[in-house]
Amino acid sequence: MFGEILELITIRCCVCKKMVALRVDLEDVACHEAGMLAQHAFPYLKPDERELFISAVCPSCYSLLCPSDRLAYN
């Protein structure tokens, strides 16, 4: 569990429709699908990569939709 046996998977972004490839442990995917929070199921992924499992938004679209600059929200 937690990134021991990494397999390549692809997820399609719901915004730009591009396919994004990630290496994740399939047991962690099963835990997430069973209800475990993404940050607990995939602690080895960056937050924008975990967003793929939460909302199917790729890292590029995530950075456009949720800028890290707090002034961008004013």
Side-chain angles (χ1 to χ4, degrees):
M1 184 180 238
F2 301 129
E4 292 177 8
I5 304 170
L6 299 181
E7 299 282 335
L8 186 66
I9 66 165
T10 57
I11 301 174
R12 181 180 300 275
C13 175
C14 68
V15 178
C16 67
K17 307 299 184 213
K18 290 182 184 175
M19 297 296 287
V20 179
L22 291 172
R23 288 200 179 274
V24 295
D25 191 325
L26 296 181
E27 289 183 20
D28 298 340
V29 174
C31 288
H32 175 65
E33 290 174 348
M36 184 182 281
L37 297 175
Q39 61 265 35
H40 297 284
F42 310 105
Y44 48 90
L45 295 179
K46 295 183 283 182
D48 58 353
E49 293 172 331
R50 289 193 296 259
E51 192 65 31
L52 275 165
F53 292 95
I54 299 168
S55 63
V57 175
C58 72
S60 299
C61 293
Y62 181 78
S63 66
L64 291 172
L65 295 170
C66 305
S68 59
D69 180 16
R70 292 181 185 208
L71 296 177
Y73 294 101
N74 290 337

